[in-house]
């Protein structure tokens, strides 16, 4: 293939590395109103009085808005397909504030200095209520986070605001308790993963203006232009037809920008004043009032025979959605659906879950989307099972891992139509030098080197839900315009979809112009999330290109005065196979612009009935200092089955980036609260993310399978890559210390103290 499976440079690479004005704050005009919000200092309180009179007199202040000024129609900020599974539990501004950082008032002014001054002059009287901060005590607690009658859930997800439940459910196959009771060996553990932040370089930011036709234009750093349009319309209680949403280049998202965190506030100001406005979150706001990963406590039971055959897996997940339910009902599902199916031939499984409200910052989407937490728990339990059975953990996996052709009952009954997981595990085993290094080596200087292993799976879009569309038009010079609404957030999807189009149309890459993510100009797309873009929108692109070829052949046949069935297309011309005559593509394009009733454009909308999982194995070698507990990553080997990588270079950097985020989650990153509900890590000075010095040596290889339903055999890669570091590192730490750590992050202090106790 000429373009698919080739390391094509990202189409926007030079603009980004040379500092062109491409990000939102680069392109927003200088005369925008500055929008900021006053945030609650209390985790749970009722606003009894709010006085804005003095603040409104600050020179340059254009407007100050409170809960009295906004629509009382509740909505969700979760960027999901309608009807959203996440409850409608928000107002733009609410009299009841539910976490430290909840918006209290919107201030708009001519300058940032004026707005900052006015924020300090707003006087608010609160009736402080007891906050509910412990998610283990939230279900059926007498303190209700959402007591209001206007709360509602649009989908049957087991939500009940009178029980502090955002979602609840249970799925099973076979009798788990009976099977586990008959097992020779049972491992049970409770695994706690704390909230952690996406920490993307570009903060949440939005710029809005009213155009000539009275339409509200929202330009936002977002992954979900069509969902933003719907959510802003709900929030402002105006028709979607009055809103247009576009995006500039995005400086990272990782799922954070699948939630409408900033958009509603400047949209409200512009709609009220008619003036352009912008809101740029500070890093502190990104840390205390955004959409971090859901804190989860996952209880796992794994039962096996004495020779290592895994018979049953039982998973119960308790998830903390925080003050609002964005993505709460959906993230929790992946903690079981993407962990239990890694193991084949189970006699029984059970996956039960509760998602609860608390008075903490509301959680949201983050790469891995719940699978990360569940895989940490299940893979750690399997590693503990191997230790208990005195079986090499790789051998145990080889005996039990899912194989191509297997039906996966815990994964919606789907079949593993493409699976190279066995080759991924074997490749990692060879790369890390497992047989020589497992389990550990004492270096004789107070340090121990050890290895750990983990497997993972994810999905490729949400089956029967996600929609991707692509439109390809032949232009009058014989080149093409490819239009779609997926959002390139640094992943390179603009380039990847153009590669698919160029491969199918047999034309040079430079002949594919891209128009992306504009609700007024590009066809509907669910958005860039759930690892859906390459698989779902990529397939739409391939189908659209194939359909356009048929139209080009039909038009060329008219010019050649023959039947379309007698023609062929080689990317440059339409050929009459009978006579050898041909007509060039450029001549077809020119002819189509005059006296023609058939436009040479083709649009395809695509939704897939399945979600073929990508698979991955990760092996790590660490060096652990027994005195300080410090863990240094020496080597991380990853083998990934993403089907056919459309662009191996971009797939590789996706994998490397995800692994580093996983290392951060395993060793450093956490969001913690004091007893009043205030976040401690309110800057990147306190919230530690890995640097180049912390990631060690990363090695990535691809063990390609071929997914028949994907474009050129491709599956997804964006999310799976974050899932193996936590369990692999926890396993390596056990091999070095003999201690199982079941709470993330596994900090040096925890290791040192545990070694002292031991």
């Amino acid at each position: 293939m000429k373009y698919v499976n080739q390391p094509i440079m990202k189409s926007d690479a030079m603009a980004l590395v040379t500092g062109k004005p491409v990000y939102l704050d680069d392109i927003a005009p200088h005369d925008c109103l500055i929008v900021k919000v006053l945030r609650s200092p209390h985790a749970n309180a009722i606003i009894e009085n709010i006085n804005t009179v003095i603040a409104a007199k600050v020179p340059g202040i254009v407007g100050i808005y409170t809960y009295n000024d906004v629509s009382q129609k509740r909505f969700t900020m979760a960027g999901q397909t309608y009807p959203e599974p996440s409850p409608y539990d928000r107002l733009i501004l609410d009299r009841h504030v539910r976490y430290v950082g909840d918006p209290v008032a919107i201030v708009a002014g001519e300058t940032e200095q004026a707005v900052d001054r006015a924020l300090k002059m707003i006087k608010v009287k609160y009736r402080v209520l007891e906050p509910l901060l412990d998610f283990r005590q939230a279900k059926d607690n007498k303190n209700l986070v959402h007591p209001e009658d206007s709360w509602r859930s649009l989908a049957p997800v087991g939500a009940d605001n009178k029980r502090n439940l955002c979602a609840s459910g249970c799925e099973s196959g076979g009798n788990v308790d009976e099977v586990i009771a008959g097992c020779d060996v049972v491992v049970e553990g409770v695994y706690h993963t704390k909230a952690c932040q996406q920490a993307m370089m570009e903060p949440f930011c939005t710029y809005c203006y009213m155009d000539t036709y009275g339409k509200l234009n929202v330009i936002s750093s977002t992954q979900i232009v069509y969902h933003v349009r719907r959510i802003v319309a709900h929030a402002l209680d105006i028709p979607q037809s009055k809103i247009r949403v576009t995006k500039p280049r995005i400086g990272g998202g990782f799922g954070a920008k699948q939630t409408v965190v900033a958009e509603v506030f400047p949209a409200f100001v512009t709609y009220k004043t008619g003036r352009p406005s912008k809101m740029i979150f500070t890093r502190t706001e990104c840390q205390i009032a955004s959409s971090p990963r859901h804190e989860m406590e996952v209880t796992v039971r794994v039962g096996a025979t004495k020779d290592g055959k895994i018979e049953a897996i039982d998973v119960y997940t308790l998830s903390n959605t925080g003050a609002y339910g964005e993505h709460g009902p959906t993230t929790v599902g992946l903690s079981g659906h993407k962990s239990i199916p890694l193991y084949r031939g189970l006699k029984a499984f059970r996956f039960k879950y509760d998602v609860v409200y608390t008075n903490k910052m509301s959680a949201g989407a983050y790469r891995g989307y719940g699978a990360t937490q569940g895989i940490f728990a299940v893979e750690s339990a399997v590693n503990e099972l191997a230790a208990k059975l005195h079986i090499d953990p790789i051998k145990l996996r080889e005996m039990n891992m899912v194989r191509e052709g297997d039906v996966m009952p815990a994964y919606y009954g789907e079949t593993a139509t493409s699976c190279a997981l066995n080759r991924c595990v074997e490749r990692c085993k060879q790369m890390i030098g497992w047989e020589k290094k497992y389990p550990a080596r004492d270096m004789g200087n107070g340090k121990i080197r050890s290895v750990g292993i983990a497997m993972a799976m994810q999905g490729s879009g949400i089956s029967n839900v996600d929609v991707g569309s692509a439109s390809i038009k032949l232009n009058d010079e014989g080149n093409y315009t490819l239009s779609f609404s997926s959002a390139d957030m640094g992943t390179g999807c603009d380039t990847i979809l153009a590669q698919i189009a160029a491969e199918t149309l047999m034309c040079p890459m430079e002949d594919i112009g891209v128009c992306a993510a504009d609700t007024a100009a590009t066809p509907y797309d669910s958005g860039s999330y759930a690892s859906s873009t390459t698989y779902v929108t990529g397939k739409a692109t391939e189908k659209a290109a194939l359909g356009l070829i048929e139209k080009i052949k039909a038009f060329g046949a008219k010019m050649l005065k023959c039947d379309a069935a007698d023609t062929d297309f080689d990317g440059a011309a339409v050929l009459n196979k009978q006579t050898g005559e041909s007509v060039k593509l450029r001549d077809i394009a020119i002819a189509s612009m005059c006296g023609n009733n058939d436009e040479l454009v083709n649009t395809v909308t695509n939704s897939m009935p399945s979600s073929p999982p990508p698979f991955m194995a990760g092996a790590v070698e660490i060096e652990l200092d027994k005195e300080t507990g410090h863990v240094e990553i020496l080597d991380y080997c990853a083998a990934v089955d993403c089907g056919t990588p459309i662009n191996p270079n971009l797939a590789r950097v996706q994998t490397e980036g995800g692994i580093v985020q996983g290392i951060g989650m395993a060793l450093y990153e956490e969001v913690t609260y004091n007893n009043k509900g205030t976040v401690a890590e309110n800057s990147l000075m306190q919230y530690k993310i890995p640097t180049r010095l912390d990631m060690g040596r990363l090695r990535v290889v691809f063990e390609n399978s071929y997914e028949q339903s994907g474009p050129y055999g491709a599956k997804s890669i964006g999310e799976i890559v974050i899932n193996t570091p936590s369990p692999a590192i926890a396993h390596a730490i056990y091999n070095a210390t003999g201690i199982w750590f079941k709470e993330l992050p596994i900090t040096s202090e925890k290791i040192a103290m545990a070694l002292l106790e031991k």
Side-chain angles (χ1 to χ4, degrees):
M1 289 184 282
K2 192 171 182 181
Y3 296 109
V4 165
N5 200 220
Q6 300 300 317
I8 307 294
M9 186 175 74
K10 280 181 64 183
S11 54
D12 60 350
M14 293 308 297
L16 299 181
V17 300
T18 56
K20 300 292 185 193
V22 296
Y23 297 106
L24 186 129
D25 206 22
D26 299 329
I27 63 175
H30 297 297
D31 61 347
C32 284
L33 294 177
I34 303 300
V35 178
K36 295 192 178 187
V37 297
L38 179 68
R39 298 189 179 277
S40 169
H42 305 293
N44 191 14
I46 303 294
I47 299 171
E48 293 192 331
N49 184 55
I50 182 165
N51 188 333
T52 63
V53 175
I54 297 174
K57 293 179 180 178
V58 171
I61 292 301
V62 172
I64 301 177
Y65 308 96
T66 70
Y67 63 86
N68 291 312
D69 302 306
V70 302
S71 166
Q72 296 303 299
K73 183 179 177 182
R74 293 198 179 271
F75 62 98
T76 177
M77 288 186 176
Q80 298 175 296
T81 301
Y82 184 86
E84 302 98 327
S86 300
Y88 278 26
D89 52 15
R90 276 196 188 262
L91 298 175
I92 299 175
L93 297 170
D94 202 333
R95 191 182 172 201
H96 187 172
V97 289
R98 295 174 170 85
Y99 73 96
V100 175
D102 216 355
V104 172
I106 303 170
V107 180
E110 305 283 358
T111 66
E112 188 170 6
Q113 292 79 4
V115 172
D116 287 342
R117 188 179 173 197
L119 283 169
K120 295 174 183 176
M121 294 183 175
I122 298 172
K123 304 300 179 185
V124 186
K125 182 181 179 183
Y126 297 96
R127 174 159 52 90
V128 180
L129 307 174
E130 180 186 356
L132 177 55
L133 300 175
D134 187 344
F135 76 126
R136 298 175 185 88
Q137 299 176 6
K139 183 179 177 181
D140 294 322
N141 195 293
K142 63 181 178 63
N143 293 335
L144 295 179
V145 178
H146 283 279
E148 66 276 6
D149 292 332
S150 56
W151 176 100
R152 63 194 180 107
S153 176
L154 276 65
V157 294
D160 186 346
N161 64 317
K162 304 303 182 183
R163 300 182 63 199
N164 282 329
L165 281 176
C166 176
S168 182
C170 181
E171 301 167 36
S172 63
N175 190 323
V176 165
D177 295 323
E178 185 178 287
V179 174
I180 286 182
C183 287
D184 299 322
V185 181
V186 177
V187 168
E188 183 169 358
V190 179
Y191 300 85
H192 182 204
T193 60
K194 295 185 181 179
C196 48
Q197 288 283 6
Q198 297 88 345
M200 60 280 170
M201 287 190 289
E202 182 194 34
F204 300 96
C205 47
T206 301
Y207 146 57
C208 301
Y209 69 93
M210 302 297 295
D211 67 18
T212 307
Y213 305 100
K215 183 172 283 192
L216 173 62
N217 281 248
V218 179
I219 299 91
S220 181
S221 181
T222 180
Q223 302 170 217
I224 44 162
V225 290
Y226 271 96
H227 292 334
V228 168
R229 185 179 69 168
R230 183 190 67 248
I231 293 166
V232 170
H234 282 181
L236 272 56
D237 200 13
I238 62 176
Q240 292 184 47
S241 58
K242 292 185 176 293
I243 301 172
R244 176 190 182 188
V245 180
T246 57
K247 68 149 196 78
R249 306 317 295 168
I250 300 175
F254 310 116
K257 294 171 183 176
Q258 195 195 334
T259 302
V260 178
V261 175
E263 288 85 346
V264 295
F265 304 110
F268 175 82
V269 168
T270 292
Y271 195 71
K272 291 285 279 188
T273 65
R275 295 183 58 179
S277 69
K278 74 173 180 180
M279 185 175 195
I280 311 291
F281 268 44
T282 64
R283 184 56 63 179
T284 296
E285 287 180 301
C286 290
Q287 290 295 115
I288 70 164
S290 55
S291 56
R293 188 185 296 284
H294 287 74
E295 176 185 26
M296 290 186 186
E297 187 176 81
V298 185
T299 303
V300 179
R301 289 193 299 163
V302 178
T305 64
K306 59 186 176 184
D307 59 358
K309 177 67 182 74
I310 297 176
E311 303 272 62
I313 300 178
D314 186 14
V315 172
Y316 170 67
T317 301
L318 178 64
S319 177
N320 184 2
T321 193
Y324 300 98
E326 280 93 18
H327 301 279
T330 41
T331 48
V332 72
L334 277 67
S335 68
H337 294 311
K338 304 295 168 67
S339 58
I340 300 171
L342 282 167
Y343 297 95
R344 67 190 310 207
L346 300 179
K347 290 183 178 178
F349 78 91
R350 179 169 57 202
F351 172 42
K352 188 177 180 182
Y353 55 88
D354 289 310
V355 184
V356 293
Y357 284 112
T358 60
N359 291 117
K360 291 184 176 180
M361 172 175 34
S362 55
Y366 184 1
R367 189 181 211 160
Y369 202 78
T372 315
Q373 297 95 307
I375 286 171
F376 166 64
V378 170
E379 285 297 277
S380 293
V382 169
N383 281 329
E384 187 173 350
L385 176 66
K388 206 167 183 178
L389 289 168
H390 304 290
I391 297 177
D392 185 306
I394 288 184
K395 182 180 178 183
L396 184 70
R397 284 175 169 81
E398 288 170 347
M399 293 167 56
N400 292 284
M401 72 175 72
V402 65
R403 306 275 177 153
E404 190 166 305
D406 284 349
V407 175
M408 300 173 285
Y411 187 59
Y412 318 106
E414 287 195 23
T415 299
T417 49
S418 55
C419 177
L421 182 57
N422 57 327
R423 287 190 275 125
C424 290
V425 171
E426 179 61 27
R427 193 73 179 274
C428 282
K429 177 182 176 181
Q430 300 302 326
M431 290 169 70
I432 206 75
W434 184 267
E435 291 180 349
K436 292 181 180 179
K437 297 176 181 177
Y438 172 76
R441 294 167 294 153
D442 194 321
M443 307 307 291
N445 57 355
K447 296 181 179 180
I448 297 178
R449 292 189 177 185
S450 60
V451 290
I453 187 74
M455 305 188 308
M457 61 178 278
Q458 197 75 33
S460 299
I462 306 170
S463 57
N464 294 309
V465 172
D466 282 347
V467 170
S469 303
S471 182
I472 306 181
K473 178 178 68 172
L474 178 65
N475 300 317
D476 53 357
E477 286 187 326
N479 52 23
Y480 302 92
T481 297
L482 168 63
S483 302
F484 51 85
S485 291
S486 293
D488 191 332
M489 51 183 151
T491 55
C493 76
D494 288 4
T495 306
I496 287 166
L497 296 176
Q499 285 179 253
I500 293 170
E503 187 71 46
T504 310
L505 291 163
M506 298 167 284
C507 70
M509 274 282 290
E510 54 267 27
D511 282 0
I512 305 292
V514 170
C515 175
D518 181 343
T519 60
T522 56
Y524 177 80
D525 192 288
S526 306
S528 294
Y529 60 89
S531 299
S532 63
T533 304
T534 298
Y535 180 69
V536 179
T537 309
K539 194 64 178 179
T541 302
E542 182 188 11
K543 289 179 177 179
L546 290 170
L548 181 58
I549 287 172
E550 293 305 311
K551 290 187 175 185
I552 291 170
K553 286 167 64 178
F555 198 95
K558 287 182 184 178
M559 296 176 70
L560 292 167
K561 296 182 172 54
C562 67
D563 291 332
D566 293 331
T567 63
D568 202 359
F569 179 66
D570 64 2
V574 172
L575 172 73
N576 184 333
K577 292 184 288 186
Q578 304 296 327
T579 65
E581 292 180 279
S582 66
V583 56
K584 291 181 180 179
L585 182 64
R586 181 184 171 94
D587 294 333
I588 292 172
I590 293 170
S592 72
M593 303 295 165
C594 181
N596 173 39
N597 294 316
D598 300 310
E599 186 181 9
L600 293 180
V601 62
N602 195 47
T603 302
V604 169
T605 294
N606 179 56
S607 185
M608 303 301 284
S610 62
S611 178
F615 295 94
M616 177 182 179
V620 66
E621 181 181 10
I622 67 167
E623 183 172 87
L624 185 143
D625 187 318
K626 291 188 289 184
E627 186 173 351
T628 65
H630 175 68
V631 173
E632 183 177 348
I633 306 293
L634 300 178
D635 194 7
Y636 200 101
C637 301
V640 187
D641 163 23
C642 60
T644 302
I646 300 297
N647 189 315
N649 275 8
L650 298 182
R652 187 175 308 280
V653 295
Q654 282 282 295
T655 306
E656 292 170 349
I659 289 169
V660 174
Q661 285 182 312
I663 290 169
M665 182 178 175
L667 297 176
Y668 314 116
E669 300 179 42
E670 60 182 325
V671 177
T672 59
Y673 295 80
N674 66 14
N675 59 8
K676 293 186 178 180
T678 301
V679 173
E681 298 80 11
N682 63 1
S683 79
L684 294 182
M685 289 294 289
Q686 289 78 32
Y687 188 81
K688 299 299 183 182
I689 60 175
T691 70
R692 183 63 188 87
L693 298 176
D694 302 308
M695 56 196 271
R697 180 189 185 196
L698 301 184
R699 293 186 283 161
V700 176
V701 296
F702 298 102
E703 285 293 335
N704 299 352
S705 62
Y706 188 89
E707 176 52 49
Q708 290 286 348
S709 63
Y712 294 98
K715 297 187 286 189
S716 75
I717 196 169
E719 290 184 278
I720 188 174
V721 292
I722 198 173
N723 292 335
T724 59
S726 293
I729 291 170
H731 185 212
I733 292 171
Y734 165 76
N735 286 333
T737 63
I739 302 169
W740 290 108
F741 289 88
K742 299 179 180 180
E743 181 181 76
L744 299 181
I746 309 170
T747 60
S748 300
E749 293 85 351
K750 289 179 184 176
I751 296 170
M753 293 306 294
L755 285 170
L756 278 174
E757 289 176 18
K758 184 181 177 184

